Amino acid sequence: MEMEKLTRTFDVVVIGGGINGSSIAYQLSKRGRKVAIIEKKQLACEASSAAAGMLAAQAEIEQDGPLFQFALKSQAMFPELANELYEMTGIDIEFDQKGIIKIAETDAIAEEVKKQVTFQQNWDPAIKWLDSHECLEMEPSLSSNIVGGMYLPNDGHVMPATLSKAFAKAAIHFGTEILENTEVLSFIYERERVIGVKTTSGDIHCHQVVLATGAWSAQLMKDTGIDMPVYPVKGECFSVKSDTPILKRTIFSDKRCYFVPKRNGEIFIGATQVENTFDKKVTLGGIASLVERAIQLVPQIKDAKWERAWAGVRPQTGDGLPYIGEHPFKKGLFIAAGHYRNGILLSPVTGQLIADLLEGHPDDTLLSAFRIDRNKQKVH
């Protein structure tokens, strides 16, 4: 028998059950709002479960600006957040803060990384340059060919899908309802204000809507009159296991190869970059290139046991900044999309920023850089 379609009412509907959607729902429901998450598949089934979970605010972002400050603010939230979510849900997000070494493989790259050390020490004096010998003392499995590296003791990582599920479970604790296998088809308007959504399970009414569907956000936004350039970038990863630990810390190469050692003994290794595709198939060529790079950087990896390979789709934007804010001419509609490689890192502060915005006391300093109409991409 076909499921009866019902009209329901909430304070806020969050479209998208990934890590940012769940973080937003958690922050809003914790403040007493009646929230629903609508997810067309299952929670954390896309980029949130495909990421390696690096919290690499200072390894990945190399210049000051709104995104860097946003990332530092979010990174600082993780120690307390990990405890808060564990106490509330019993879920351990496996927050690890053993640091990251950003390696340099040539003298030319080393000069660039040393400049980054000087710059990053403005925010964290503990960051330092390690020569080749010091790198190998810290991580003996690294290739002896590396020139050195930047040691970032306060960068770390989490298990991304676990963090996403912890946000969702904590949101449910505060009353959030989860509607999985439900697709949002369009918005419901009343005099240019969004008052709900039409879904495959019927109409749902609300006072505010937050669109947090990552690389899939552009189509629903186009229907509102804004051409928001969020596009997919596929990334392929694989993991290995070893009887004895190979690495203690995350290793990050500027040539976009990283190693993230997890608590269960797995090392996540990634990631390729293929723009403008939603096809999540894992290709032999993609994995072969990663394997070759991995063995160059950590030769001992070749003796580790193969575990698995996977791919996910990251949401990139035209200028590399996320879109976070209220729609410029559809009141009640808010966006949080386009976090690209930093979705896991930025999830705590994104949830907080959107919740503050919906409550009417936004952080305008950050929001002005991330606003939806910053490039004036109006369709009609």
Side-chain angles (χ1 to χ4, degrees), residues 78-380:
F78 271 92
E80 185 178 337
L81 177 69
N83 291 329
E84 182 181 315
L85 290 175
Y86 182 73
E87 288 173 9
M88 192 172 301
T89 68
I91 296 174
D92 182 355
I93 66 171
E94 298 188 31
F95 173 58
D96 176 286
Q97 208 169 11
K98 294 189 180 76
I100 290 177
I101 300 176
K102 183 173 184 176
I103 58 174
E105 298 166 67
T106 67
D107 289 334
I109 295 174
E111 289 309 308
E112 289 303 311
V113 175
K114 285 177 183 177
K115 290 176 187 173
Q116 292 171 32
V117 170
T118 303
F119 164 68
Q120 296 290 359
Q121 284 174 336
N122 292 318
W123 287 274
D124 185 352
I127 291 172
K128 60 183 179 179
W129 169 258
L130 305 175
D131 62 25
S132 178
H133 176 71
E134 290 169 318
C135 283
L136 289 168
E137 273 193 338
M138 274 196 169
E139 295 292 349
S141 297
L142 280 171
S143 167
S144 58
N145 294 326
I146 68 166
V147 176
M150 174 169 60
Y151 178 46
L152 304 115
N154 294 314
D155 278 13
H157 59 89
V158 295
M159 287 297 280
T162 306
L163 173 59
S164 190
K165 287 169 184 173
F167 275 136
K169 189 172 180 180
I172 291 167
H173 171 81
F174 286 111
T176 289
E177 292 190 37
I178 311 290
L179 286 74
E180 294 182 306
N181 301 306
T182 302
E183 184 175 359
V184 172
L185 304 172
S186 61
F187 299 107
I188 302 170
Y189 301 103
E190 186 177 271
R191 291 191 291 276
E192 294 302 301
R193 169 171 283 277
V194 174
I195 60 164
V197 291
K198 290 185 176 294
T199 81
T200 50
S201 298
D203 292 354
I204 297 174
H205 288 141
C206 57
H207 302 299
Q208 294 163 314
V209 175
V210 182
L211 180 62
T213 51
W216 289 264
S217 300
Q219 187 54 54
L220 273 172
M221 278 299 290
K222 196 168 186 177
D223 292 343
T224 72
I226 289 283
D227 187 5
M228 193 173 75
V230 177
Y231 62 92
V233 180
K234 183 174 83 166
E236 295 159 284
C237 303
F238 72 95
S239 73
V240 297
K241 262 189 180 181
S242 176
D243 293 335
T244 55
I246 296 175
L247 296 167
K248 297 186 188 74
R249 299 166 187 83
T250 296
I251 305 299
F252 183 89
S253 164
D254 234 0
K255 293 184 178 177
R256 299 305 178 214
C257 182
Y258 54 73
F259 304 75
V260 186
K262 297 299 183 180
R263 198 178 294 173
N264 67 354
E266 270 188 289
I267 300 175
F268 288 8
I269 300 168
T272 63
Q273 294 183 165
V274 183
E275 293 189 355
N276 296 306
T277 179
F278 286 100
D279 184 351
K280 292 192 296 178
K281 71 172 179 285
V282 177
T283 66
L284 185 60
I287 295 301
S289 66
L290 277 179
V291 169
E292 183 180 9
R293 287 284 296 133
I295 293 172
Q296 283 176 354
L297 299 175
V298 183
Q300 194 179 330
I301 283 286
K302 70 180 184 296
D303 299 320
K305 180 171 73 76
W306 176 269
E307 281 292 303
R308 60 197 175 102
W310 65 94
V313 176
R314 315 177 190 97
Q316 177 60 303
T317 66
D319 59 10
L321 299 178
Y323 288 99
I324 302 173
E326 187 170 13
H327 194 289
F329 50 90
K330 300 291 185 186
K331 296 303 173 190
L333 175 59
F334 300 82
I335 321 297
H339 292 68
Y340 192 41
R341 296 169 63 93
N342 298 300
I344 309 303
L345 166 64
L346 297 176
S347 59
V349 75
T350 297
Q352 188 177 80
L353 188 64
I354 286 286
D356 288 346
L357 177 59
L358 266 64
E359 291 200 324
H361 44 88
D363 183 338
D364 291 325
T365 309
L366 288 171
L367 285 171
S368 62
F370 304 143
R371 72 182 196 275
I372 314 309
D373 59 346
R374 62 180 181 261
N375 299 316
K376 297 183 172 60
Q377 290 117 346
K378 186 172 177 180
V379 177
H380 55 67

